[in-house]
Amino acid sequence: MDKAKQIRLFDRQAAQYGRRKEGQTLRRWRRDLLNHANGEVLELAVGAGANFPYYPGGVKVTAADFSSEMLSKAREVAAGCRLDADFILTDIEGLEFPDRSFDTIVSTLSFCSYENPLRVMKKLRRWCKPEGSILLMEHGISSNAIVSTVQRMLDPLLFRAIGCHHTRNIPELVRQSGMVITRSESHMFKMVHLLWAKPGTS
Ligand SMILES: C[S@@+](CC[C@H](N)C(=O)[O-])C[C@H]1O[C@@H](n2cnc3c(N)ncnc32)[C@H](O)[C@@H]1O
């Protein structure tokens, strides 16, 4: 799918993301992850700003997304929770920052969408300060044979409908990127992974 089409798909989903009331479990996962954010934060593929209410005080967030509709929802949420945030309308796969720019890098539910997720993961490592943290909540292929078979069957359809793959092997991507995991949790037949990581040495 070309990028313009993928952006239109997410633009069309923005209103729904903005209205969505998330369940208690997802809210707890976001809180547990975001609790560890500090300093200069980069949030990739911020969507409608679902993480914003969970940031501790004192952070400065740079939030990026390629959907202008998502960013406009995220701006409203940031204003509502008085979060100090700047917004960049950009394709993260083409984005560059100097190495070691951020204390914390956050990505939730975004690695399903990139054309080359490993390349983005490697960028995260470069952009994060050596003592900084990379906080991820990502979904991908389950380790359960029945669930993963269904995921593989539905993947082409879901990618066309919502612009997001359901077959990414998140633990393997993280391993290949060279990040160092300090804590991890897997949920829902190991489809959802919460990862607290350090960039590791290059
Ligand atoms: C499934 S939503 C997740 C939003 C948010 N992170 C959350 O946890 O609710 C995926 C988001 O990634 C954005 N996105 C996908 N691919 C992108 C890319 N290559 N560059 C920038 N944003 C991207 C979409 O516009 C959308 O807002």
Side-chain angles (χ1 to χ4, degrees):
M1 178 186 317
D2 68 42
K3 278 278 155 99
K5 188 168 177 199
Q6 202 183 12
I7 292 170
R8 281 199 301 278
L9 270 181
F10 282 112
D11 275 342
R12 269 190 243 128
Q13 295 173 73
Q16 182 194 329
Y17 270 76
R19 281 194 303 269
R20 200 167 57 182
K21 293 275 171 279
E22 293 188 332
Q24 201 184 336
T25 304
L26 190 49
R27 284 187 276 132
R28 178 167 45 81
W29 290 342
R30 290 191 193 275
R31 190 176 312 111
D32 286 353
L33 199 69
L34 276 300
N35 244 338
H36 295 256
N38 69 78
E40 287 282 339
V41 177
L42 171 66
E43 183 171 339
L44 299 182
V46 66
N51 288 324
F52 288 173
Y54 306 103
Y55 278 109
V59 295
K60 164 83 181 71
V61 178
T62 301
D65 204 289
F66 65 9
S67 157
S68 56
E69 297 294 323
M70 288 285 189
L71 282 186
S72 92
K73 300 282 170 210
R75 277 197 182 88
E76 289 171 20
V77 177
C81 46
R82 296 173 186 276
L83 184 74
D84 184 1
D86 285 334
F87 296 88
I88 311 177
L89 177 63
T90 185
D91 176 358
I92 279 146
E93 299 197 71
L95 183 64
E96 278 307 335
F97 288 106
D99 290 0
R100 304 172 173 208
S101 291
F102 297 97
D103 299 294
T104 310
I105 302 191
V106 173
S107 163
T108 61
L109 313 177
S110 84
F111 276 89
C112 51
S113 306
Y114 306 129
E115 224 174 292
N116 190 332
L118 182 58
R119 218 163 73 195
V120 177
M121 239 176 231
K122 287 181 175 170
K123 285 187 187 198
L124 263 59
R125 285 192 58 210
R126 279 196 284 108
W127 295 340
C128 188
K129 293 180 186 172
E131 70 284 6
S133 302
I134 300 169
L135 307 174
L136 306 175
M137 177 176 75
E138 299 295 340
H139 71 91
I141 193 84
S142 169
S143 56
N144 176 288
I146 297 168
V147 176
S148 64
T149 303
V150 175
Q151 287 180 295
R152 284 200 183 88
M153 274 167 45
L154 294 179
D155 191 60
L157 187 75
L158 288 170
F159 186 62
R160 274 199 304 278
I162 57 173
C164 140
H165 285 292
H166 285 63
T167 50
R168 298 265 151 102
N169 187 331
I170 300 297
E172 181 58 16
L173 281 168
V174 171
R175 195 192 59 73
Q176 286 178 20
S177 77
M179 281 179 206
V180 177
I181 305 296
T182 55
R183 175 181 162 195
S184 70
E185 289 178 16
S186 297
H187 300 280
M188 300 174 71
F189 298 104
K190 297 196 176 170
M191 278 190 293
V192 179
H193 304 274
L194 272 71
L195 299 161
W196 294 256
K198 297 280 170 200
T201 48
S202 316

